[in-house]
Amino acid sequence: MWRHLAQILIAVAICGLYSIFFFTKNLKASDYILVSNIIGFFFILSFIIEIKSNHFLKKENFKAFSINHTHLILRRVSLFYKKFYLWKLIIIPPLMMLFISSIPIGDRFLFTTLSVIQNFLTIYLLITLYDLFEMKGYEQHISILPAITIVIITFVRNSDISYLFFFNPFGGIANLPLLSTNPLLYLIPVLIFISLYFFNSQYIHKHWSNK
């Protein structure tokens, strides 16, 4: 019961954070990136709750199936806290930004797209870390991530180096294109996904498959 209540509250909190943008007259990248970092924190909380309540789908649950990494990661994300729930939380709340009339339509699409990418990256990275820690026997240590994340957010928020929010992998790094008009920055999220994919498929997944 507590798990369902906690996950509902987290979903409400994430939707509430996106709704803040409706009350922002001139949405700036600094406002967006702060909210993105906080949303990343709530995704981490959601992930930890699933682990602590023994509902997180470990790879062992799929051991009987011949499945490659791509199919496995998509299935685990889609089944995380009930079927297709997480897909909705990753994609639907960011769509609110498409209806913010105070910013240009191009910026609305950019913020929305980057937000969806960042949300999926956060979950993918969390699953990768959990599988790596579990493989090494340190899976319990992933529970300290919420504390580390909130300390980082608080520190950066109270400092003069707010651009560090863009380097938080759980809420900022996919948004690096907002820092500059340099088109090469758009390659960073792509390279991160490619790196994560190859690390998973060639190391974690291969190790798990051969056990």
Side-chain angles (χ1 to χ4, degrees):
M1 178 65 182
W2 71 269
R3 166 179 167 257
H4 295 281
L5 179 60
Q7 293 289 17
I8 290 171
L9 290 174
I10 287 173
V12 170
I14 290 175
C15 291
L17 285 165
Y18 279 110
S19 68
I20 290 174
F21 296 135
F22 287 103
F23 305 98
T24 305
K25 291 183 178 180
N26 183 23
L27 181 58
K28 296 179 291 186
S30 57
D31 301 323
Y32 163 77
I33 196 63
L34 173 60
V35 170
S36 181
N37 274 254
I38 298 173
I39 288 170
F41 166 75
F42 279 109
F43 272 121
I44 294 173
L45 278 184
S46 180
F47 189 85
I48 299 300
I49 288 170
E50 293 302 287
I51 293 173
K52 291 298 184 182
S53 57
N54 295 319
H55 282 84
F56 182 74
L57 295 172
K58 296 184 178 181
K59 282 191 172 185
E60 282 70 15
N61 295 346
F62 301 92
K63 193 70 174 179
F65 301 94
S66 177
I67 191 168
N68 62 35
H69 172 67
T70 302
H71 292 155
L72 179 60
I73 198 67
L74 291 175
R75 183 171 295 184
R76 291 170 82 197
V77 171
S78 66
L79 292 176
F80 178 38
Y81 188 72
K82 291 189 177 181
K83 193 173 184 180
F84 304 131
Y85 168 82
L86 192 61
W87 284 121
K88 295 174 183 177
L89 199 55
I90 288 173
I91 297 171
I92 294 178
L95 295 180
M96 294 183 189
M97 290 187 287
L98 292 175
F99 302 95
I100 303 174
S101 58
S102 60
I103 62 174
I105 187 66
D107 289 344
R108 296 183 217 174
F109 278 105
L110 179 60
F111 283 132
T112 301
T113 302
L114 291 177
S115 185
V116 171
I117 292 172
Q118 179 61 64
N119 290 345
F120 182 79
L121 175 61
T122 296
I123 300 301
Y124 191 19
L125 181 57
L126 283 169
I127 291 175
T128 301
L129 286 176
Y130 180 74
D131 287 345
L132 179 62
F133 285 9
E134 186 184 36
M135 192 173 73
K136 300 295 184 180
Y138 301 135
E139 61 268 21
Q140 295 301 320
H141 293 295
I142 202 167
S143 299
I144 66 174
L145 272 179
I148 293 174
T149 305
I150 200 64
V151 167
I152 292 173
I153 291 174
T154 303
F155 169 76
V156 178
R157 184 76 175 94
N158 295 323
S159 72
D160 296 325
I161 47 177
S162 58
Y163 67 85
L164 290 179
F165 276 133
F166 286 93
F167 295 92
N168 175 11
F170 302 109
I173 201 159
N175 298 292
L176 276 173
L178 297 176
L179 269 181
S180 168
T181 56
N182 188 342
L184 291 178
L185 288 178
Y186 286 92
L187 291 177
I188 293 178
V190 176
L191 292 175
I192 292 172
F193 273 112
I194 292 174
S195 300
L196 273 179
Y197 178 83
F198 277 103
F199 178 73
N200 274 281
S201 60
Q202 299 301 315
Y203 179 61
I204 295 179
H205 190 82
K206 185 176 292 187
H207 175 85
W208 167 76
S209 299
N210 293 331
K211 284 200 299 183

